[in-house]
Amino acid sequence: MSAPSSPCQAPSYVVDRQGDFAVARPEERVEDCQHCSGTGLVAKTITDGGRSYEVVTPCARQQYKSKLQLFNAAHLPGVHATATFASFKPYGAEQDRALRIAMDFSQAWPKTRGFVLAGPVGTGKTHLLASALKFATIERGVRAAYIEISLLYATIRRGFHEGKSGGEIIGPLSQIDLLAIDELGKGRGSPFELETLDELIARRYNAGKVTLFATNYSLRPPEENRATGYATTAELKAEGKDSKLLCDRVGERVYSRLCEMCDFVEFSTATKDFRRARATSSRPSKSSP
Ligand SMILES: Nc1ncnc2c1ncn2[C@@H]1O[C@H](COP(=O)(O)OP(=O)(O)OP(=O)(O)O)[C@@H](O)[C@H]1O
Ligand SMILES: [Mg+2]
Ligand SMILES: [Zn+2]
């Protein structure tokens, strides 16, 4: 994908897939910039309290390059390299609302709260997370990161073998200005996984950091699901592992914080699986998968 150019320092970029990740690069090199003679720096005069100062700042092309580096550092999945708000086609009121919330979120940065997108497979949840992170990094210069929750657990487990503590890996994710956590609720629901998630969310909540989520689990609050409103510990343990409810999957402590940190959108089970629809429409045969 190529972004539009403006006449002077011409910020434009191409983004494509490199291995697992989406990678953006500027179309114009800073070295060829006529504005700064390739140094990346320009002098600027600022006035403060009636006095003028000459300061050196990055030129527009250098600033843009730095924003693209933020995009690359976010480690978005390569399959979503070209995802944007413009390429998301909402089907129905919930997807309409999801798109609006994600766009409003991006426009309102930094005065904003996160969102949780819940819904069936192939309904564009990761597409919207990727679009929001692309906008935040490239248009707003926000430090951001994307993680799939099960990959995070795997990375921490691998770190243990290399002598690293879980905190060493969670630390930077707790601090980053914007974090998108995909596949929330996925996993075995082991004490290790629940404690890791609890620590990450609690640290971000306490630090007032904005977090976005996508999940295949339902958002209905637990009291709607439990006739008596009470469940024994054994029942809760069994529920947590098998439940289709996000609250059961992540635990009350995490869910409670999500309620305060985020707007919630849930796609109905009737929402179409884009992957299947695409595969069906590009296949000449009569049968569907
Ligand atoms: N409403 C939509 N408009 C345009 N493209 C869409 C839409 N929904 C999904 N897609 C495309 O379909 C593919 C699957 O979408 P995506 O990976 O975002 O789904 P998902 O909801 O995250 O699924 P899963 O729950 O399996 O992770 C992507 O290529 C995405 O760009
Ligand atoms: Mg997804
Ligand atoms: Zn320059």
Side-chain angles (χ1 to χ4, degrees), residues 33 36 59 61:
C33 176
C36 66
C59 77
R61 205 179 271 193

Side-chain angles (χ1 to χ4, degrees), residues 9 30 33-42 58-62:
Q9 285 77 35
V30 171
C33 176
Q34 291 175 1
H35 194 59
C36 66
S37 309
T39 61
L41 297 169
V42 284
C59 77
R61 205 179 271 193
Q62 178 61 46

Side-chain angles (χ1 to χ4, degrees), residues 26-262:
E27 284 199 308
E28 296 86 7
R29 296 172 354 127
V30 171
E31 290 78 356
D32 303 327
C33 176
Q34 291 175 1
H35 194 59
C36 66
S37 309
T39 61
L41 297 169
V42 284
K44 193 167 110 181
T45 306
I46 55 165
T47 309
D48 181 22
R51 297 181 64 175
S52 294
Y53 303 88
E54 184 99 328
V55 292
V56 174
T57 60
C59 77
R61 205 179 271 193
Q62 178 61 46
Q63 285 178 28
Y64 205 67
K65 184 178 171 186
S66 303
K67 288 177 178 170
L68 296 183
Q69 282 164 349
L70 290 174
F71 174 84
N72 295 343
H75 277 165
L76 285 169
V79 284
H80 291 283
T82 57
T84 58
F85 293 133
S87 64
F88 184 83
K89 304 281 171 263
Y91 290 90
E94 297 132 346
Q95 286 202 332
D96 230 15
R97 183 163 166 260
L99 177 61
R100 196 160 23 84
I101 284 180
M103 288 178 74
D104 288 351
F105 160 85
S106 304
Q107 292 294 343
W109 184 272
K111 286 187 187 155
T112 194
R113 62 200 242 113
F115 55 81
V116 182
L117 303 176
V121 298
T123 52
K125 302 182 298 297
T126 306
H127 182 124
L128 286 176
L129 290 187
S131 307
L133 258 57
K134 183 182 279 178
F135 190 95
T137 50
I138 298 179
E139 305 301 328
R140 293 282 186 268
V142 179
R143 278 186 343 114
Y146 168 95
I147 51 159
E148 239 178 58
I149 200 68
S150 40
L151 282 182
L152 175 67
Y153 299 147
T155 306
I156 295 176
R157 278 204 193 90
R158 218 175 26 248
F160 288 154
H161 298 298
E162 294 161 9
K164 284 189 198 150
S165 69
E168 273 177 72
I169 293 160
I170 284 190
L173 293 174
S174 315
Q175 291 302 318
I176 197 145
D177 294 326
L178 174 60
L179 178 66
I181 301 181
D182 207 350
E183 317 275 4
L184 184 67
K186 198 169 154 187
R188 284 176 289 179
S190 67
F192 158 74
E193 291 178 355
L194 292 174
E195 279 160 26
T196 300
L197 185 65
D198 188 285
E199 183 180 342
L200 177 57
I201 302 302
R203 285 174 71 169
R204 289 192 66 79
Y205 173 83
N206 292 341
K209 299 289 183 188
V210 179
T211 315
L212 312 178
F213 301 89
T215 180
N216 289 125
Y217 294 97
S218 168
L219 297 177
R220 272 179 305 130
E223 53 273 21
E224 275 181 30
N225 202 40
R226 280 183 205 128
T228 61
Y230 176 81
T232 65
T233 308
E235 279 168 349
L236 278 172
K237 272 191 184 151
E239 255 180 25
K241 290 208 167 101
D242 305 329
S243 174
K244 297 277 182 254
L245 288 176
L246 184 64
C247 180
D248 292 334
R249 303 289 310 183
V250 300
E252 300 264 357
R253 278 175 48 81
V254 168
Y255 197 80
S256 166
R257 283 166 178 73
L258 296 193
C259 292
E260 205 175 310
M261 294 162 85
C262 293

